[in-house]
Amino acid sequence: MSKVVSRGSTRLRENERQRIIDDSTRRRRLRKFLENLEADNFHEDPHADLVMSKKVPKFDDNLESRTRSKKRERNSEYYQIKYRKSFQQMIEDDRKEADDNNRMSYMDLSAPQSDFPPYYTCAVCGYHSNYICISCGVRVCQTRCFDTHFETRCLKWTT
Amino acid sequence: MEGNKRGRLDSKQHHDRKLYLSKRPRGGSPGPSSSKRKECSNALVLDNGGFTIKIGYSKDNNITVLPNHIMKAKSERKRFFIADQIEDCRDLSGLYYLTPHDHGYISKFDVQKNVWDYTFNKFPADDMPVIVTQPIFNFKHIQEYMDEIFFEEYDVKTLYRTNSTDLTYYQYITTKKGQHTSCIIVDSGYSFTHIVPYVNGKKYTNGIIRMDIGGKLLTNYLKDILSYRQLHVMEETYVINQLKEDTCYMALDFKKEMQTAKTTNDIVKNYVLPDFHNIRRGYVHEGEVDSQLAENFQILRINNERISVPEVLMKPSIIPGIEQAGLAQCIAKSIAKCPTKYRQQMADNIILVGGNTNFPGFKERVETETRMFLPSHHRMTVFKPEEPIKYSVLGGKSFSKDPQFRSMCVKKHEYEEHGSNYTYKKFNEFVEIEEEPPKKTEEAPFSYLDHWKKEGVDIFQKNVMKEDPSPDVQFILEGDDIEQYDGKYVTIEFEYEKKQPPKVEIPPPPIKPPDISQLKVIKKKMIVPNSPLVLNSNATVVRASDLQPIRAPTKVYRPVFRTKPENQKITQIISINGATPMTSGPLIIPSTSGGKTVSLGSAQLLNNAVIIPQNMFGSKNLTLQFRPIFMQGNNIIITKKQ
Ligand SMILES: [Zn+2]
Ligand SMILES: [Zn+2]
């Protein structure tokens, strides 16, 4: 048995230290992280439990004071049902149409990759990072930050 | 007015700054009575952003900003809050957002309808024309939805649908004096950041670049790091967005500011979070936090987050998984995609709009960093309007008063007759590109080093082509040179002379490389350990005359290149090796007068070469001084040969 050098990470159990998260899981984690950055809300709809009850407020109720006279007024569900289409679908349609008309599409406008090496920041403290966590691939900058990372997010992060 | 004589004036109008107007209405001719119709001269302008709606009538001076969401509060279960109804909400914690947009495009059509219902209720359009904005290359599907809702639901009689950058462009060219009709608009909003070049009045579609970084991503990123480092605030989008607006700023020198944040307390701010009983809005607490404050309120300590969050726009790679180029690089790339003869004009007219441009220091940073990516002979001017969020509505207001405006709208009866395809065609005319056929292949930026290598030109008294086929020019440390290398600085001094007085061409497109055959290097010495040399952002460019203090101790070795005959100024030269610059931080030139430093101005890092324009040379000497960093694989190692 080799002696463990007394550093911060001694408290890590041997079997934990061995565990390495595979590539596909890392990619899934990263994708989840990026999706969360695009999300409008982190939490669930606080009124979700009202859906079944009669009390659920209707959008259109909020506008009692409407003055314009409209003969063909449609409620908002009409539009959502008629036009429902996911973003992915719309991008696809756009690309097809762009190809037919020989114009740029949404996809073509995306900014190119940087000409410079990436600037890495420590996930724990935010300063410039030179090291990678072997287990999960997250960037850290020093042993102290690594320990924090290991004890909090590293293997415990649910995906 | 002008429209009636259009046939005859066509060729002249190419140089007219109103070209935008004269070129757009290709289909129909402007109605002769259009400018006389006084009764309809009011118009409603609606800029439909991902975060807010900006709306105003052309007749009055107000522009109202309304949130483009429906919100639900934890405390109030009986109702929604549409747009600015949120002002009635007492407790804004854990606010839940229903946002019409997904990636900047309308996707929750019911939510959008409700926000618009509310908006038009507040700002009735009556019979006046409506100008509404949509994102660039708005999907046809969404445009059909907009047609239906505007013409059929809101009974709009006259509609003009456009991009907010078009309105920004109109406002800029009509209010700014000058003959320019080409410019580049940077619109950094909630969902994304667009860089849109306008060539002679039209969007140059091949040059448009979209960075998928906007205010939403920055707020969410800030939420994420604060939640991990200090306090769980993932559900507090509303509060953290305010925190971002109150504390974040764009660093001029990111590395330096980060170092300051790490080692001192100069950057740190204490932010008192609202509890919605005693404090309704969070604020920055200046000075010490006493125990009473700390007991009663939650306080976040914001340090490097203040700069690293806006920095994501310049270095997207700060967020793991994002590989897009930074804003300054994208601006330069967008300009480089445009026809050569317009590039100077574009660099001279860079317009910043959108919410993110409100970060303090944003404009200055974009100026400094974009400068480094542009060819050295380009002048560069950045313009940021006083209210970058409302600028496009201002443009819409002025455009609605333009005599040509009416002819570009679609009337309700036209829509009813021809359907959505007609409006789609009318509102998306920019898609056609007349002047330059679309070129998918991008013109590579000009590089002196590559040029010289291609020509086999001798820059360091050796034929690059024959002797060194590898792309890196290597400098070798030899003999006792190493002894004089103090491990810190390597200084290279160039003294080039040109036989003929340099020609002054302003501006000189295309870039003319200096005639190397007329330059002769007569002496060369260089110290650098035998690894490829890398310029890093600590690089300093100084004039020979500034070097006195460094010269005195002989530790700094100064190899000299000299040319014959003497007494003449250098043209454009400087290249150091083929290695990639490490980062894109600004280079600094100490000025000759006193210790004041000025930014590099038009010197430039281009394809691995440093190119410094003629006007930077006061004397005939140029000295480059830099810290060498040597790369081996991904590790940075500073070596000293024994
Ligand atoms: Zn760290
Ligand atoms: Zn890890």
Side-chain angles (χ1 to χ4, degrees):
Chain A
M1 286 283 142
S2 63
K3 261 193 180 173
V4 184
V5 189
S6 69
R7 279 174 86 187
S9 45
T10 43
R11 48 196 122 101
L12 313 178
R13 270 178 289 131
E14 200 64 27
N15 60 342
E16 271 186 339
R17 193 181 296 175
Q18 300 293 318
R19 233 182 96 187
I20 289 175
I21 294 173
D22 62 69
D23 265 3
S24 64
T25 314
R26 284 184 190 191
R27 273 200 299 275
R28 207 163 56 236
R29 257 190 195 189
L30 197 60
R31 204 168 54 231
K32 182 85 191 141
F33 170 70
L34 291 176
E35 269 169 22
N36 281 340
L37 291 184
E38 265 302 318
D40 292 321
N41 300 289
F42 176 78
H43 51 306
E44 298 297 317
D45 185 345
H47 298 177
D49 55 330
L50 293 181
V51 169
M52 299 312 286
S53 89
K54 285 264 153 55
K55 276 184 197 161
V56 57
K58 283 262 170 5
F59 287 143
D60 304 304
D61 295 348
N62 281 47
L63 298 161
E64 325 83 15
S65 63
R66 192 175 299 166
T67 49
R68 282 166 298 128
S69 63
K70 271 183 272 129
K71 40 188 191 311
R72 283 192 284 168
E73 191 173 311
R74 287 154 178 158
N75 64 12
S76 41
E77 279 81 30
Y78 160 83
Y79 287 97
Q80 185 58 12
I81 290 161
K82 178 167 179 189
Y83 288 100
R84 179 192 296 275
K85 216 179 219 187
S86 76
F87 183 67
Q88 283 308 320
Q89 253 177 313
M90 287 196 275
I91 293 180
E92 261 318 301
D93 293 351
D94 178 60
R95 185 156 46 185
K96 269 183 216 132
E97 206 224 317
D99 282 350
D100 291 345
N101 293 307
N102 194 25
R103 67 159 168 92
M104 308 280 274
S105 73
Y106 174 86
M107 305 293 274
D108 298 324
L109 302 187
S110 185
Q113 278 203 355
S114 177
D115 294 342
F116 297 98
Y119 183 88
Y120 296 115
T121 46
C122 172
V124 179
C125 68
Y127 293 103
H128 187 66
S129 134
N130 285 324
Y131 305 100
I132 291 178
C133 168
I134 297 173
S135 294
C136 71
V138 155
R139 289 264 162 187
V140 287
C141 73
Q142 46 160 303
T143 323
R144 237 182 66 196
C145 288
F146 172 75
D147 288 348
T148 312
H149 158 75
F150 193 88
E151 281 162 17
T152 52
R153 272 191 173 177
C154 186
L155 299 169
K156 292 173 182 138
W157 236 24
T158 47
T159 48
Chain B
M1 288 179 62
E2 268 178 57
N4 295 333
K5 300 180 197 166
R6 204 134 54 91
R8 269 192 296 139
L9 288 176
D10 249 354
S11 60
K12 226 187 163 188
Q13 278 175 342
H14 272 274
H15 307 287
D16 193 332
R17 71 195 176 91
K18 283 194 175 171
L19 200 95
Y20 170 76
L21 311 171
S22 58
K23 293 209 72 177
R24 294 273 312 224
R26 222 169 299 126
S29 63
S33 60
S34 55
S35 54
K36 283 176 190 166
R37 255 191 242 151
K38 274 279 176 284
E39 73 274 18
C40 284
S41 58
N42 203 1
L44 182 62
V45 185
L46 189 159
D47 184 359
N48 193 48
F51 188 61
T52 52
I53 286 176
K54 281 74 70 176
I55 191 164
Y57 292 106
S58 62
K59 262 189 176 167
D60 64 46
N61 286 327
N62 296 335
I63 295 172
T64 309
V65 180
L66 301 170
N68 198 354
H69 318 282
I70 296 174
M71 287 150 277
K72 297 178 181 182
K74 276 183 176 164
S75 54
E76 306 230 18
R77 295 169 69 83
K78 293 259 169 79
R79 63 169 295 192
F80 295 100
F81 297 93
I82 300 182
D84 65 351
Q85 283 180 343
I86 197 64
E87 285 162 17
D88 307 338
C89 181
R90 220 174 6 88
D91 186 348
L92 298 163
S93 61
L95 216 56
Y96 185 85
Y97 285 88
L98 287 164
T99 306
H101 288 73
D102 182 8
H103 290 81
Y105 292 83
I106 301 170
S107 72
K108 293 196 197 86
F109 299 98
D110 49 347
V111 176
Q112 184 67 82
K113 177 183 179 280
N114 278 280
V115 179
W116 279 347
D117 279 352
Y118 177 83
T119 310
F120 282 115
N121 211 30
K122 231 178 161 171
F123 295 89
D126 297 329
D127 284 344
M128 61 186 89
V130 174
I131 298 180
V132 61
T133 66
Q134 58 183 0
I136 283 176
F137 287 131
N138 194 12
F139 303 133
K140 199 175 177 188
H141 183 71
I142 299 172
Q143 299 200 28
E144 282 167 13
Y145 160 78
M146 291 174 90
D147 278 342
E148 178 170 346
I149 202 162
F150 277 85
F151 284 122
E152 296 182 21
E153 181 89 23
Y154 301 138
D155 201 23
V156 169
K157 297 286 185 300
T158 315
L159 180 70
Y160 181 59
R161 206 167 54 215
T162 184
N163 302 129
S164 69
T165 50
D166 283 359
L167 301 178
T168 301
Y169 174 77
Y170 184 85
Q171 182 68 3
Y172 182 75
I173 55 154
T174 48
T175 52
K176 210 111 165 138
K177 300 275 175 279
Q179 295 299 307
H180 288 170
T181 53
S182 301
C183 67
I184 193 154
I185 295 173
V186 177
D187 185 352
S188 186
Y190 178 67
S191 317
F192 34 46
T193 299
H194 271 111
I195 296 143
V196 188
Y198 282 80
V199 171
N200 261 349
K202 287 171 80 186
K203 261 201 248 18
Y204 190 74
T205 48
N206 290 320
I208 302 175
I209 291 178
R210 184 196 64 249
M211 292 169 68
D212 294 317
I213 292 167
K216 183 208 241 176
L217 184 103
L218 299 186
T219 301
N220 279 345
Y221 177 59
L222 182 59
K223 256 168 42 181
D224 184 79
I225 53 182
L226 288 177
S227 298
Y228 181 55
R229 291 172 198 167
Q230 294 186 50
L231 179 72
H232 185 81
V233 288
M234 290 304 283
E235 300 181 3
E236 307 301 334
T237 310
Y238 186 87
V239 175
I240 300 303
N241 190 53
Q242 285 180 340
L243 183 149
K244 179 188 80 175
E245 288 169 4
D246 293 350
T247 63
C248 287
Y249 69 97
M250 187 69 95
L252 190 58
D253 184 340
F254 179 63
K255 274 193 161 178
K256 207 172 121 198
E257 301 265 303
M258 283 298 264
Q259 198 54 38
T260 314
K262 199 172 186 173
T263 52
T264 71
N265 281 331
D266 293 353
I267 307 269
V268 71
K269 291 264 185 237
N270 291 304
Y271 194 83
V272 182
L273 294 175
D275 60 358
F276 297 110
H277 291 291
N278 304 305
I279 305 175
R280 197 178 144 74
R281 195 192 191 288
Y283 64 94
V284 172
H285 178 81
E286 302 288 354
E288 290 297 305
V289 176
D290 53 40
S291 55
Q292 205 199 340
L293 189 71
E295 263 171 43
N296 293 322
F297 301 104
Q298 283 182 316
I299 295 168
L300 284 176
R301 202 178 142 83
I302 317 295
N303 195 17
N304 64 38
E305 296 85 1
R306 289 185 69 200
I307 41 180
S308 62
V309 168
E311 188 70 16
V312 170
L313 280 160
M314 310 308 285
K315 295 187 182 67
S317 60
I318 285 179
I319 296 183
I322 300 188
E323 289 166 348
Q324 289 189 326
L327 182 60
Q329 237 188 96
C330 285
I331 294 174
K333 278 175 193 282
S334 175
I335 292 177
K337 282 179 175 183
C338 295
T340 329
K341 64 173 171 173
Y342 299 113
R343 289 184 197 163
Q344 172 60 64
Q345 255 196 51
M346 298 197 148
D348 237 350
N349 296 274
I350 299 174
I351 304 154
L352 306 178
V353 287
N356 295 329
T357 62
N358 277 332
F359 282 124
F362 186 91
K363 178 177 171 240
E364 292 73 16
R365 176 66 185 277
V366 169
E367 249 163 10
T368 324
E369 199 164 325
T370 310
R371 177 70 273 168
M372 301 193 324
F373 293 109
L374 290 179
S376 53
H377 65 270
H378 275 177
R379 293 180 309 277
M380 198 187 100
T381 323
V382 177
F383 170 74
K384 185 186 137 190
E386 259 175 53
E387 293 184 298
I389 296 176
K390 299 176 178 173
Y391 197 67
S392 57
V393 177
L394 277 185
K397 286 181 177 187
S398 0
F399 183 51
S400 72
K401 291 169 191 149
D402 193 283
Q404 304 261 359
F405 168 65
R406 289 265 166 178
S407 67
M408 295 167 66
C409 297
V410 168
K411 300 245 162 37
K412 190 180 177 189
H413 70 85
E414 290 173 319
Y415 166 74
E416 280 166 350
E417 247 172 72
H418 307 289
S420 231
N421 274 339
Y422 174 79
T423 49
Y424 185 72
K425 235 177 165 173
K426 185 123 180 170
F427 292 142
N428 294 280
E429 278 188 292
F430 61 87
V431 170
E432 300 160 43
I433 297 158
E434 283 177 345
E435 289 179 16
E436 293 228 343
K439 256 191 281 174
K440 285 271 177 178
T441 47
E442 191 185 321
E443 201 181 309
F446 185 85
S447 153
Y448 287 98
L449 201 66
D450 293 348
H451 176 79
W452 291 334
K453 279 179 197 159
K454 223 176 278 167
E455 309 249 307
V457 171
D458 179 7
I459 14 176
F460 297 115
Q461 278 200 331
K462 67 179 177 182
N463 191 314
V464 185
M465 288 296 268
K466 281 178 191 164
E467 288 184 24
D468 187 6
S470 80
D472 293 334
V473 180
Q474 293 213 351
F475 303 123
I476 306 296
L477 261 186
E478 35 191 7
D480 54 345
D481 286 351
I482 305 125
E483 296 306 313
Q484 305 194 43
Y485 170 58
D486 66 354
K488 262 190 183 168
Y489 295 106
V490 171
T491 307
I492 313 168
E493 213 172 83
F494 297 82
E495 289 185 18
Y496 282 111
E497 306 290 351
K498 204 177 180 197
K499 282 174 190 166
Q500 285 155 6
K503 262 188 264 168
V504 185
E505 295 174 26
I506 305 168
I511 313 164
K512 220 177 163 187
D515 189 354
I516 308 297
S517 61
Q518 295 188 17
L519 302 172
K520 199 182 166 206
V521 178
I522 56 159
K523 192 181 160 200
K524 176 199 78 170
K525 257 191 188 174
M526 181 71 65
I527 53 154
V528 171
N530 57 347
S531 318
L533 189 61
V534 179
L535 254 188
N536 78 348
S537 66
N538 294 331
T540 314
V541 179
V542 295
R543 283 195 194 138
S545 49
D546 289 327
L547 267 187
Q548 290 307 358
I550 304 169
R551 259 182 202 178
T554 49
K555 276 193 169 180
V556 179
Y557 194 80
R558 287 169 289 106
V560 177
F561 296 79
R562 223 179 279 278
T563 54
K564 272 205 271 188
E566 295 177 353
N567 304 330
Q568 280 185 19
K569 278 192 177 179
I570 191 168
T571 48
Q572 293 184 331
I573 298 194
I574 286 300
S575 70
I576 311 166
N577 199 340
T580 321
M582 286 298 294
T583 64
S584 51
L587 298 169
I588 303 292
I589 299 184
S591 71
T592 38
S593 53
K596 200 183 135 218
T597 57
V598 293
S599 73
L600 188 58
S602 51
Q604 182 204 6
L605 276 170
L606 180 72
N607 261 27
N608 314 328
V610 181
I611 297 166
I612 293 166
Q614 188 178 348
N615 57 18
M616 297 196 123
F617 295 90
S619 69
K620 60 190 161 74
N621 297 342
L622 168 70
T623 306
L624 276 185
Q625 184 199 358
F626 49 87
R627 292 194 178 88
I629 288 186
F630 310 103
M631 289 193 82
Q632 286 179 1
N634 285 326
N635 301 318
I636 298 162
I637 299 165
I638 298 182
T639 53
K640 193 173 168 184
K641 201 175 161 189
Q642 295 305 314

